[in-house]
Amino acid sequence: MRPALSLRIALLAALLSGCAGQAVPSPSVAATDAPLRWKALLVAADDAEPVFDNGVDALRRSLLSFGVAPADIAVLKADAHQPATVATKTNFDRAMTGLAGPAGTGCFVYLTSHGVEGRGLFAAADDAVIPPAYLAQALDGACAGRPTVLVTSGCYSGIYTDTPALTTPDRIVLTAARADRPSFGCGADDRYTYYDECFLDSLKRGAAWTVIATDISGCVARRERAKHFQPSQPQSAFGRDVAGLTAF
């Protein structure tokens, strides 16, 4: 977790705030049909270590290999050189509108960063956090009624699966840790965070998201046991309409 966040974070988080269990319900047949097209937003929201950029870059390559069109993959980074691709709230809002599409279009949003306990993932470019209520509002505006997968990778990211406004019937939410647990893999010698690497290894085109989530959790647990770390316990919430959804 990033140390000692400034008062500005608290003020911005309060401004954005305003406004899960892990049981997998029986899916409805129509809603679990694989989308004909996916649109993706990948965000490396902190640049304190290169692991976040590395994870987003590798995930983009994976999506391209699955047949997702380059024009349908938006990437934002805290250290991006082009102003329009910096991971700010303004650019995030704009990129979220780009996820809008007709029926048969799936939404995929992946955020990786340091996390702030009880608040959400840290957005370095704005010196702010990303509150669950803000994410829920953004997804409701762009992707409501369409199959959606939200992944939040960072310490204490279980706050997102614990937020009812995010865990809607048409949405899958995967997080790197329980709301009260850190996650690992941000060291100088790490290429990816533990969760990001396990996600990349477990993501298979056509695999059920329930299987992917289970594989990720097992992978993370093995790595943490090897280092004698406290288990981060990745969380998942599957909406009843997408419980049988497959990846890409």
Side-chain angles (χ1 to χ4, degrees):
M1 187 182 86
R2 197 180 182 94
L5 300 177
S6 69
L7 177 61
R8 186 183 168 200
I9 298 176
L11 294 174
L12 287 170
L15 182 63
L16 290 172
S17 299
C19 14
Q22 294 188 18
V24 179
S26 298
S28 65
V29 175
T32 56
D33 290 342
L36 301 176
R37 174 185 181 186
W38 284 89
K39 290 190 174 187
L41 171 57
L42 316 178
V43 182
D46 199 356
D47 57 352
E49 291 86 22
V51 289
F52 308 116
D53 281 5
N54 292 344
V56 161
D57 290 341
L59 183 53
R60 182 179 184 274
R61 292 192 294 270
S62 291
L63 297 187
L64 291 172
S65 74
F66 296 157
V68 181
D72 287 337
I73 306 173
V75 176
L76 301 178
K77 297 180 179 180
D79 58 356
H81 298 299
Q82 298 297 322
T85 59
V86 178
T88 62
K89 181 181 180 298
T90 297
N91 289 336
F92 186 87
D93 288 342
R94 184 185 304 115
M96 284 296 297
T97 64
L99 295 179
T105 304
C107 290
F108 178 74
V109 178
Y110 196 102
L111 310 173
T112 182
S113 184
H114 286 291
V116 184
E117 188 169 8
R119 309 281 291 286
L121 296 184
F122 179 63
D126 283 337
D127 194 24
V129 293
I130 305 170
Y134 163 68
L135 266 187
Q137 183 179 31
L139 288 172
D140 287 345
C143 302
R146 293 186 288 124
T148 300
V149 178
L150 169 67
V151 185
T152 57
S153 175
C155 294
Y156 314 112
S157 51
I159 188 174
Y160 297 103
T161 43
D162 287 351
T163 301
L166 273 171
T167 55
T168 58
D170 55 5
R171 196 172 295 155
I172 294 169
V173 183
L174 306 179
T175 74
R178 229 168 62 178
D180 60 348
R181 296 285 177 91
S183 57
F184 303 97
C186 295
D189 296 330
D190 293 307
R191 184 178 182 186
Y192 307 112
T193 69
Y194 284 11
Y195 186 87
D196 288 351
E197 184 163 11
C198 288
F199 186 95
L200 291 165
D201 289 345
S202 301
L203 184 63
K204 303 291 189 296
R205 187 181 190 187
W209 281 106
T210 51
V211 173
I212 292 169
T214 298
D215 288 349
I216 294 168
S217 293
C219 171
V220 169
R222 288 190 296 274
R223 297 199 64 181
E224 291 170 343
R225 281 197 302 269
K227 295 288 188 178
H228 306 289
F229 291 152
Q230 180 189 42
S232 56
Q233 296 185 8
Q235 301 291 295
S236 58
F238 290 83
R240 65 173 180 270
D241 293 341
V242 288
L245 188 67
T246 57
F248 305 103

